[in-house]
Amino acid sequence: MIKYLLCLFALGTASIASGSDPITIVQGNESSGAKQPQACISANGSVHVTFGEGEQVYYCRIDDHKCTAPQAVFRIPNMSLGMRRGPRIAHSGKAIVVTAIGGAEGKGKDGDVLAYRSLDNGHTWDGPIQVNDVNASAREGLHAMAAASDGTLWCVWLDLREKGTKLFASKSTDNGKSWSKNVLVYRSPDGSICECCHPSIFTDNNSVHVLFRNSLEGNRDMYLVSSQDQGTTFGKATRLGQGTWRLNMCPMDGGMVAKAKNGDVFTVWRRDRNIFLASAKNNTEQLLGTGEQPWIANDPEGVYVTWTSQREGDLMLVKPGQVTGEKVDSKASFPTLVSASLQSPVVYLFWEKKNEQGFSILAQRIR
């Protein structure tokens, strides 16, 4: 286990996109296995960050661009980690909730979505609470979580309780203390959705929107499925974009969903080597560049999108009003974006960076 003593200002580590200088949350060294940063922003502006290393889940907080020392807060046996597998974090308004997938055997033999929560700003943690109600059904290790403005938490994951990969979800209305009976979000008529692409979720009040990669007639295209009644029922899944991707394998690249101030739902995802931004309202697509592992966030100014030129490559960022991406860093992988709200102009970018010593985790306020 690494001892993280402090978060460092990484002056000169990356080109400055805008906003502020990057912060090194984890400084890579020979033993560093820190991976897959995820974050959320609470109503008071605190940025809550989680990531994994081995079987340990870490937590830290950024306030006024100053980061607390990451602390190992709980252990997940055989935690799924890497390739968009890893812990997820959300804030219900009263609790910080972190979910991760692990099991007694691991390696795809078992795996459950396990939730922990903190009611004292990350000092102590309660859990685990199992989210999936059929044991070992989340063993693929891919899931997502989000919080609505009313505090309702939603979790979605790739589920293997029956033959073929399906999309299941659960919600919590008591700040992560308990989780509802699981709901089938989508079942592919071909028997399985794409087996190794992470799902994404956005929720606000009555609406829940889930983005996933389907597997239909030999095509691996992105679909959006939504509920307008707090997840009681989900509507018909809609294929996104104007093209299709015929592929007899899983690209392990799931995209991300966000909601604009005008109510439109935007998604970003990969088709072949291209990154597309798509509006669910009129199902248009906009080519942003080439690469993989895209992520999206919205604030009052508009849409922010990030991706990398390859699995480990140039970190690209498109801000509102831009049509092409600007380079933020190099040797980067698995970036994420998080925004405070559609009323508050705070956006942070997180990513992994490889160097000679190991993997570092960096953050930068870009708005």
Side-chain angles (χ1 to χ4, degrees), residues 190-256:
D190 280 10
S192 178
I193 63 174
C194 200
E195 303 85 355
C196 301
C197 287
H198 70 92
S200 299
I201 187 168
F202 178 87
T203 177
D204 188 38
N205 298 326
N206 292 329
S207 63
V208 183
H209 307 281
V210 180
L211 176 70
F212 68 99
R213 193 177 294 278
N214 212 342
S215 179
L216 281 177
E217 300 176 349
N219 299 315
R220 303 285 177 135
D221 299 321
M222 300 302 297
Y223 279 68
L224 184 70
V225 59
S226 300
S227 170
Q228 303 300 335
D229 57 9
Q230 297 183 332
T232 302
T233 59
F234 283 85
K236 181 181 178 181
T238 303
R239 183 171 67 86
L240 299 171
Q242 305 303 308
T244 192
W245 191 6
R246 193 159 190 83
L247 186 67
N248 189 28
M249 62 180 291
C250 177
M252 304 185 78
D253 202 334
M256 186 59 182

Side-chain angles (χ1 to χ4, degrees), residues 18 130 182 186 200 207 216 218 245 256 264 270 299-300 302 353:
S18 65
Q130 185 171 315
N182 296 175
Y186 180 80
S200 299
S207 63
L216 281 177
W245 191 6
M256 186 59 182
D264 196 1
R270 170 188 170 196
D299 81 346
K353 181 177 175 66

Side-chain angles (χ1 to χ4, degrees), residues 61 129 161 179 195 223 247 293 295 301 353 358 363:
R61 191 176 66 254
I129 300 296
R161 66 186 64 195
W179 293 81
E195 303 85 355
Y223 279 68
L247 186 67
Q293 301 299 329
W295 210 265
E301 293 295 314
K353 181 177 175 66

Side-chain angles (χ1 to χ4, degrees), residues 31-54:
S31 63
S32 174
K35 296 180 180 179
Q36 304 292 301
Q38 294 281 320
C40 65
I41 303 179
S42 56
N44 67 0
S46 293
V47 184
H48 302 273
V49 185
T50 189
F51 58 89
E53 183 203 351

Side-chain angles (χ1 to χ4, degrees), residues 43 66 97 120 132 155 217 240 259 274 277 279 285 290 302:
K66 296 178 181 178
V97 180
D120 56 7
N132 54 304
C155 186
E217 300 176 349
L240 299 171
K259 195 173 184 179
N274 296 317
L277 175 68
S279 163
E285 65 178 33
T290 60

Side-chain angles (χ1 to χ4, degrees), residues 4-273:
Y4 300 117
L5 300 180
L6 72 165
C7 293
L8 304 172
F9 285 95
L11 296 175
T13 300
S15 60
I16 305 303
S18 65
S20 62
D21 297 332
I23 302 172
T24 298
I25 294 177
V26 175
Q27 181 68 55
N29 56 52
E30 292 180 358
S31 63
S32 174
K35 296 180 180 179
Q36 304 292 301
Q38 294 281 320
C40 65
I41 303 179
S42 56
N44 67 0
S46 293
V47 184
H48 302 273
V49 185
T50 189
F51 58 89
E53 183 203 351
E55 295 186 336
Q56 293 290 336
V57 173
Y58 281 80
Y59 167 81
C60 63
R61 191 176 66 254
I62 301 173
D63 292 303
D64 298 324
H65 203 59
K66 296 178 181 178
C67 184
T68 62
Q71 301 290 329
V73 289
F74 52 86
R75 173 180 170 270
I76 300 291
N78 297 300
M79 179 168 58
S80 297
L81 188 62
M83 295 303 301
R84 295 298 190 190
R85 295 175 175 89
R88 298 294 188 262
I89 190 166
H91 202 293
S92 69
K94 295 182 179 180
I96 308 164
V97 180
V98 173
T99 52
I101 296 177
E105 296 183 76
K107 298 181 180 179
K109 296 180 180 179
D110 62 359
D112 298 307
V113 183
L114 304 174
Y116 284 77
R117 68 173 188 161
S118 174
L119 298 172
D120 56 7
N121 212 28
H123 295 291
T124 60
W125 295 81
D126 300 324
I129 300 296
Q130 185 171 315
V131 178
N132 54 304
D133 55 20
V134 173
N135 291 340
S137 65
R139 58 188 177 273
E140 183 54 49
L142 291 161
H143 79 298
M145 183 175 57
S149 57
D150 65 359
T152 301
L153 296 157
W154 274 93
C155 186
V156 62
W157 64 93
L158 301 192
D159 193 278
L160 292 164
R161 66 186 64 195
E162 301 170 359
K163 183 179 180 180
T165 305
K166 299 171 181 64
L167 204 59
F168 270 79
S170 177
K171 71 177 179 179
S172 174
T173 57
D174 57 6
N175 304 295
K177 182 179 180 180
S178 64
W179 293 81
S180 70
K181 177 179 174 59
N182 296 175
V183 176
L184 175 66
V185 176
Y186 180 80
R187 179 198 310 265
S188 170
D190 280 10
S192 178
I193 63 174
C194 200
E195 303 85 355
C196 301
C197 287
H198 70 92
S200 299
I201 187 168
F202 178 87
T203 177
D204 188 38
N205 298 326
N206 292 329
S207 63
V208 183
H209 307 281
V210 180
L211 176 70
F212 68 99
R213 193 177 294 278
N214 212 342
S215 179
L216 281 177
E217 300 176 349
N219 299 315
R220 303 285 177 135
D221 299 321
M222 300 302 297
Y223 279 68
L224 184 70
V225 59
S226 300
S227 170
Q228 303 300 335
D229 57 9
Q230 297 183 332
T232 302
T233 59
F234 283 85
K236 181 181 178 181
T238 303
R239 183 171 67 86
L240 299 171
Q242 305 303 308
T244 192
W245 191 6
R246 193 159 190 83
L247 186 67
N248 189 28
M249 62 180 291
C250 177
M252 304 185 78
D253 202 334
M256 186 59 182
V257 59
K259 195 173 184 179
K261 194 172 183 179
N262 65 1
D264 196 1
V265 176
F266 282 91
T267 60
V268 64
W269 34 268
R270 170 188 170 196
R271 186 172 69 229
D272 201 355
R273 286 294 301 155

Side-chain angles (χ1 to χ4, degrees), residues 70 103 122 155 254 289 310 365:
C155 186
Q310 53 190 11
R365 181 170 176 169

